[in-house]
């Protein structure tokens, strides 16, 4: 039976995705992002007569980047892909071709010389300590879902977790006596993160008075449960946070990752070493963590220009 060029490229992509999931231990969410980008690349290759990804050359890869940069998408077909999305797609293509080389299916990486699109640096936008506190105290009452929401928010901010890490927690990952939680991050890397007093108290209250009420046969070891007793999903967690943000009277856009940004920024503003923050966040490189130092530097500048008598506009000759 003859295999079409589209099927051949698709099969190569599937082998790579299996490698990411099984051997590298990447999360289903991350693998899904790779799948989207490489599906576009696979279609681009076959549309241009490239029936084997190993036969793609520099011109094919650079053409794909240009094609993606100029493409339109969205409900009305008018939205352009952001530079960060194009750069992510190129990174996926590079990883894919390096895999083909490692497997002995190709001799060179056609993506190696392709220039990465310049991505503007967007600094994280953390909340102030006051805004975070308003969110954390917004769950009212003593019902099981309220206890869950309070524990969820305190853990999300108090440990600086990614939302995927939070919803994957099991009860056995907690050690309230030692004030720590075991977290499985990107690439299945484990780390122990300390838990502060507020998070420990909220978790203890939830474990004694909230989770037992919500639990069902479907719960198994999951820490955070939905109203039906199943493991809380990323979407469910986001909805809880959205309700609490509205209840706290905060009008800016707040996502679960905003609390992680705030966790890192507040630690650095409090004098924590950037290497310590790197370990707490589970960053593989300190360079990823150092972007938060730019946020704190900007905060210092803002405070200076608003508070110093010789820096404020209109005082002593204006800002200099």
């Amino acid at each position: 039976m003859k295999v079409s060029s589209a099927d051949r490229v698709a099969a190569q992509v599937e082998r790579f995705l299996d490698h990411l999931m099984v051997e590298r231990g990447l999360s289903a969410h991350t693998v899904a992002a790779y799948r989207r980008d490489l599906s576009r690349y696979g279609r681009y290759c076959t549309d241009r007569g490239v029936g084997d990804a190993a036969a793609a050359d520099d011109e094919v890869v650079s053409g794909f980047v240009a094609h993606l940069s100029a493409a339109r998408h969205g409900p009305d077909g008018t939205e352009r892909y952001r530079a960060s999305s194009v750069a992510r797609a190129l990174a996926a293509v590079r990883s894919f071709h390096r895999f083909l080389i490692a497997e002995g299916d190709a001799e060179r990486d056609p993506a190696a010389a392709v220039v990465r699109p310049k991505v503007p640096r967007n600094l994280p936008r953390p909340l102030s300590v006051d805004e975070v506190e308003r969110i954390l105290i917004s769950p009212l009452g003593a019902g099981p879902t309220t206890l869950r929401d309070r524990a969820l928010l305190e853990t999300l901010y108090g440990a600086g977790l990614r939302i995927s890490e939070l919803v994957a927690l099991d009860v056995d990952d907690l050690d309230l006596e030692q004030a720590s939680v075991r977290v499985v991050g990107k690439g299945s890397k484990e780390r122990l993160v300390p838990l502060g007093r507020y998070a420990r108290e909220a978790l203890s209250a939830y474990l004694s008075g909230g989770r037992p009420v919500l639990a069902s046969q479907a719960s198994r070891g999951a820490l955070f449960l939905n109203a039906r007793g199943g493991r809380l999903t990323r979407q469910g967690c986001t909805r809880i946070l959205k309700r609490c943000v509205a209840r706290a009277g905060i009008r800016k856009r707040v996502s679960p990752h905003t609390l992680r940004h705030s966790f890192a920024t507040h630690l650095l503003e409090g004098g924590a070493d950037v290497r310590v923050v790197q370990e707490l966040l589970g960053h593989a490189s300190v360079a990823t963590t150092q972007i938060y130092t730019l946020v704190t530097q900007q905060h210092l500048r803002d405070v200076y220009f608003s508070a110093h008598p010789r820096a404020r506009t209109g005082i002593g000759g204006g800002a200099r």
Side-chain angles (χ1 to χ4, degrees), residues 67-189:
H67 165 76
L68 205 58
S69 299
R72 299 291 190 274
H73 68 103
D76 54 1
T78 60
E79 296 180 38
R80 298 187 65 171
Y81 288 103
R82 292 179 298 179
S84 58
S85 298
V86 178
R88 186 198 65 210
L90 176 58
V93 171
R94 281 178 174 158
S95 296
F96 173 51
H97 281 291
R98 287 170 187 162
F99 168 77
L100 294 178
I101 294 172
E103 292 289 294
D105 294 337
E107 295 182 356
R108 59 181 297 273
D109 176 10
V114 177
V115 177
R116 179 178 182 269
K118 187 175 182 179
V119 179
R121 170 172 279 183
N122 294 319
L123 294 179
R125 297 182 178 180
L127 299 170
S128 67
V129 173
D130 176 69
E131 288 171 329
V132 171
E133 288 180 347
R134 282 158 55 192
I135 293 172
L136 296 182
I137 64 173
S138 64
L140 302 175
T145 56
T146 299
L147 294 175
R148 177 204 61 197
D149 295 351
R150 192 174 294 130
L152 181 151
L153 294 172
E154 288 285 1
T155 305
L156 194 61
Y157 170 69
L161 303 186
R162 301 177 179 95
I163 185 173
S164 56
E165 296 170 343
L166 180 85
V167 298
L169 290 178
D170 287 337
V171 175
D172 290 344
D173 292 325
L174 290 178
D175 189 339
L176 296 183
E177 289 188 4
Q178 294 298 317
S180 65
V181 58
R182 183 179 69 93
V183 180
V184 180
K186 290 185 175 180
S188 298
K189 294 181 180 178

Side-chain angles (χ1 to χ4, degrees), residues 238-252:
T238 301
R239 284 193 294 270
I240 291 168
L241 177 59
K242 187 176 180 179
R243 286 198 303 269
C244 292
V245 169
R247 195 177 295 134
I250 296 172
R251 299 189 179 278
K252 61 180 66 173

Side-chain angles (χ1 to χ4, degrees), residues 280-303:
L280 293 174
L281 291 174
H283 285 161
S285 169
V286 72
T288 308
T289 317
Q290 283 173 332
I291 191 171
Y292 293 106
T293 65
L294 300 179
V295 177
T296 57
Q297 289 168 13
Q298 183 61 48
H299 175 68
L300 290 175
R301 285 177 55 83
D302 291 344
V303 170

Side-chain angles (χ1 to χ4, degrees), residues 197-238:
R197 177 169 63 87
Y198 287 102
R200 295 199 310 273
E201 290 176 352
L203 284 164
S204 179
Y206 166 63
L207 289 173
S208 61
R211 189 180 183 280
V213 180
L214 297 173
S216 68
Q217 289 184 341
S219 303
R220 298 191 178 182
L223 175 58
F224 292 110
L225 306 177
N226 58 34
R228 297 182 299 280
R231 184 183 293 274
L232 191 68
T233 64
R234 294 160 54 98
Q235 294 78 9
C237 179
T238 301

